[in-house]
Amino acid sequence: MFKAPRGTSDILPQEKAYWKYIEEKAVYLCQLYGYQPLNTPVFEDYQLFAHIAPDGADIIKEMYVFEDRSGQKLALTAEGTAPICRAYLEHGLFNLPQPVKLYYIIPAFRYERPQAGRYRQHHQLGCEAIGDADPVLDAEVIELMYRFLSSLGLSELLIEINSIGCRQCQPGYVEALKKYYSTYRDRLCPDCKVRLARNPLRLLDCKEVSCQEIITGAPKITDYLCSECQTHFQSVQKYLTELGISYQLNHKLVRGLDYYTRTVFEVKPEGKGVQIALGGGGRYDNLIEELGGKPTPAVGFAAGIERIIIALKNQNVIVPTLPKPVAYVACLGTQAKLEATKLVSRLRHQGIAAIQATGDKSLKSQLRQANSLDVKYTVIIGEKEVANETAVLRDMSSGEQKTVPFNEIASLLEKR
RNA sequence: GUGGGCGUAGCCCAGUGGUUAAGGCGCCAGGUUGUGGCCCUGGAGAUCGUGGGUUCAAAUCCCACCGCUCACCCCA
């Protein structure tokens, strides 16, 4: 038997209720904040993603890479920001009034070992504000992300923010960090030894107990920010405070992707359950330039839909059920079936969701099915009804029935 | 990539060496004329993850593989 590939899953109708709920909220809020939808393809030129992280980085190694028949090297979309920036450049969106504000809901693919909240195919809702360095946008994006999650009914959300500086000031900090760490070299965990050489900022993110002590004494990046970055970061915080968004500074928060500059942030649920980030993001003022555009500041976030669903379930948030059919049309006999077929078609033409009984079931079993479909009404057409051109209309919750002419059924149901 | 836990029907699961693998949910049918939900009765549905080994005998013990799951790593 075939199975869905590892780390992927089918989204069954019941689960789809969560998706619909989340997507509708996302679309509503994004347009409310002035973000417009933009969809990028499921695969891209492999090189596009080379800019999001250094060569040996996990996210690069985890990409689904393949060649098409022409020999072009492609990759399944690993994250949303680089493709959006590609589209921004490709379609000359820099000619629009800046910032250009875009959102997307896309699948993302990474070849990882699956676990709770981590899949080989997952879906991200992302928002990007491109073309403006104003710290008010950093705050807007954080507010939008927070509002999105809390309006879904999630509570106990913790926002953490940090600034990781810019091309001017970050190298100085990295040097200081390296210098500090070099004195502890032999006490580091194996992962951190690699980090020290490859991506020193990530040293701060280590969860190994033995490394915690070292992290505690490490220099803080916020002490090394240039005055511009410092001002920017302070403004972001001021705006957040004014907006009533509570946040926590976390000078150890660095984020994995290479393109981030200045503001970085994450949201995760506090309390019980898995403590995974539901979303995160930050400013990426260098990415567009690296992709071949003019220097263009930008800021954005991405949230993981599957993780949000996990959090909704953890917090027992009730989501609306998917719409149910209104009417079930039961019939007895060949003539009646013909009339039922026509009636169902007519109901559907009028926008009334209707289900026709199929097969040759007893009335009892037809009603059982109607019951389990949770319809409001069952229409019953038997031989008597065919002769009189009527049907029995049964209200499924009260059990009340009345006989009505064929041509009145649709309008009768429409009114209710 | 590293480490733990687990694989018995669509789902939840009992069964730790010995006759036709038990139960619940769900599904299907019936409980006298053409009426659902509750109840009752019956039925269908299982290569006991796969392959090998031990044994007179394996769902049960051993090994390998595969899969699921959780944690680490990393990330949404």
Side-chain angles (χ1 to χ4, degrees):
Chain A
M1 280 285 267
F2 289 109
K3 285 177 169 177
R6 185 158 203 211
T8 69
S9 50
D10 302 313
I11 305 162
L12 298 174
Q14 206 186 338
E15 191 75 359
K16 207 64 182 162
Y18 286 93
W19 286 76
K20 184 168 183 259
Y21 177 64
I22 292 167
E23 284 168 5
E24 284 176 357
K25 206 72 97 179
V27 168
Y28 169 73
L29 283 173
C30 285
Q31 78 84 26
L32 191 66
Y33 279 68
Y35 290 73
Q36 294 194 295
L38 191 157
N39 270 47
T40 57
V42 140
F43 56 87
E44 295 270 0
D45 191 311
Y46 168 77
Q47 287 303 324
L48 174 63
F49 295 109
H51 295 272
I52 64 176
D55 231 8
D58 284 347
I59 190 161
I60 301 289
K61 289 191 283 189
E62 287 168 355
M63 275 200 292
Y64 280 87
V65 182
F66 62 98
E67 279 187 10
D68 68 10
R69 290 185 181 209
S70 74
Q72 194 188 355
K73 198 174 180 188
L74 300 166
L76 295 185
T77 297
E79 57 96 54
T81 304
I84 289 284
C85 292
R86 193 222 79 228
Y88 173 87
L89 292 170
E90 181 172 344
H91 301 102
L93 303 186
F94 42 79
N95 289 313
L96 299 171
Q98 306 293 299
V100 174
K101 304 207 283 188
L102 302 164
Y103 79 90
Y104 56 85
I105 298 172
I106 50 155
F109 302 87
R110 291 173 203 171
Y111 188 86
E112 306 184 89
R113 223 160 120 178
Q115 68 184 66
R118 197 182 71 180
Y119 310 100
R120 290 187 176 177
Q121 179 182 189
H122 73 278
H123 296 76
Q124 296 186 357
L125 160 70
C127 293
E128 316 285 351
I130 305 175
D132 199 323
D134 194 328
V136 82
L137 285 172
D138 303 45
E140 176 179 281
V141 153
I142 293 169
E143 189 208 14
L144 173 52
M145 179 176 74
Y146 177 75
R147 181 154 171 202
F148 166 58
L149 294 172
S150 55
S151 76
L152 290 172
L154 294 173
S155 53
E156 297 181 85
L157 296 169
L158 172 67
I159 300 178
E160 294 185 315
I161 67 169
N162 191 22
S163 175
I164 57 168
C166 64
R167 277 198 279 223
Q168 269 67 50
C169 55
Q170 198 188 76
Y173 171 70
V174 171
E175 274 319 303
L177 190 64
K178 275 188 186 166
K179 195 176 162 200
Y180 166 80
Y181 261 84
S182 61
T183 58
Y184 296 98
R185 200 181 295 265
D186 39 334
R187 279 173 52 191
L188 295 176
C189 72
D191 285 329
C192 279
K193 287 188 174 128
V194 178
R195 290 188 183 111
L196 181 55
R198 272 239 151 78
N199 195 356
L201 280 181
R202 297 217 54 84
L203 286 164
L204 299 172
D205 216 23
C206 185
K207 277 146 199 124
E208 202 66 46
V209 186
S210 58
C211 293
Q212 292 309 308
E213 205 184 317
I214 305 172
I215 292 171
T216 312
K220 291 184 186 179
I221 189 155
T222 38
D223 297 333
Y224 287 76
L225 296 178
C226 62
S227 63
E228 288 83 358
C229 284
Q230 218 147 51
T231 310
H232 184 94
F233 193 38
Q234 271 156 16
S235 302
V236 173
Q237 293 179 58
K238 190 183 81 192
Y239 287 127
L240 286 175
T241 306
E242 290 297 322
L243 289 169
I245 305 288
S246 51
Y247 58 90
Q248 219 166 288
L249 290 176
N250 178 357
H251 69 272
K252 294 186 279 187
L253 180 67
V254 293
R255 312 247 340 129
L257 303 176
D258 217 26
Y259 50 63
Y260 285 116
T261 54
R262 295 192 166 172
T263 318
V264 292
F265 55 88
E266 258 178 28
V267 218
K268 54 185 162 191
E270 292 181 289
K272 281 176 287 192
V274 197
Q275 298 281 304
I276 37 168
L278 300 179
R283 185 159 274 288
Y284 46 99
D285 290 343
N286 301 332
L287 179 59
I288 291 184
E289 187 181 1
E290 275 175 34
L291 293 177
K294 286 189 280 195
T296 308
V299 61
F301 80 88
I305 310 281
E306 285 86 351
R307 289 184 176 183
I308 292 170
I309 293 173
I310 291 171
L312 288 170
K313 289 177 178 172
N314 275 343
Q315 297 192 10
N316 298 314
V317 175
I318 309 292
V319 304
T321 54
L322 295 177
K324 291 168 193 147
V326 175
Y328 181 91
V329 181
C331 60
L332 290 159
T334 350
Q335 251 336 95
K337 187 162 189 175
L338 201 60
E339 291 302 333
T341 308
K342 289 192 284 184
L343 174 62
V344 167
S345 175
R346 214 179 318 139
L347 289 174
R348 290 171 178 162
H349 273 292
Q350 301 198 23
I352 299 164
I355 305 280
Q356 180 179 192
T358 51
D360 208 13
K361 292 190 260 277
S362 67
L363 183 58
K364 177 182 186 135
S365 103
Q366 292 184 57
L367 274 157
R368 269 212 255 254
Q369 186 175 13
N371 184 62
S372 74
L373 290 168
D374 204 17
V375 294
K376 284 185 73 133
Y377 300 99
T378 296
V379 179
I380 302 163
I381 304 174
E383 283 169 31
K384 272 186 287 183
E385 286 73 22
V386 172
N388 305 335
E389 297 195 350
T390 60
V392 174
L393 180 62
R394 179 177 179 87
D395 181 315
M396 292 301 279
S397 51
S398 66
E400 281 170 37
Q401 316 195 147
K402 59 181 166 187
T403 304
V404 296
F406 276 162
N407 52 23
E408 285 175 25
I409 296 171
S411 54
L412 217 53
L413 291 183
E414 211 166 28
K415 280 184 206 140
R416 315 208 182 191

